[in-house]
Amino acid sequence: MTRTEFIWLCCLHNVDPSIALEDDRVKEILKTNKDSTIQHLALSQHLSINF
């Protein structure tokens, strides 16, 4: 996932990207070597539930 995509997803869920990066699960999602689409879905789901 690119930096721009990460920021876009955070903005989509009204979450400040710098605050999202403090979350351990967000870091874990970003570190995975999965397909970009899977990362997008996992991050989107996490942001919508936890922020």
Side-chain angles (χ1 to χ4, degrees):
M1 174 181 316
T2 67
R3 182 178 150 197
T4 304
E5 292 169 335
F6 173 74
I7 292 171
W8 177 79
L9 276 172
C10 288
C11 290
L12 184 66
H13 294 285
N14 296 319
V15 177
D16 185 333
S18 60
I19 293 174
L21 283 174
E22 294 176 4
D23 186 87
D24 290 333
R25 179 67 180 132
V26 171
K27 292 178 197 175
E28 183 181 320
I29 292 169
L30 294 174
K31 288 180 183 178
T32 59
N33 291 328
K34 295 179 183 174
D35 180 21
S36 179
T37 304
I38 294 172
Q39 278 185 331
H40 288 163
L41 292 172
L43 183 60
S44 182
Q45 180 182 21
H46 180 73
L47 292 176
S48 67
I49 292 172
N50 296 298
F51 285 92

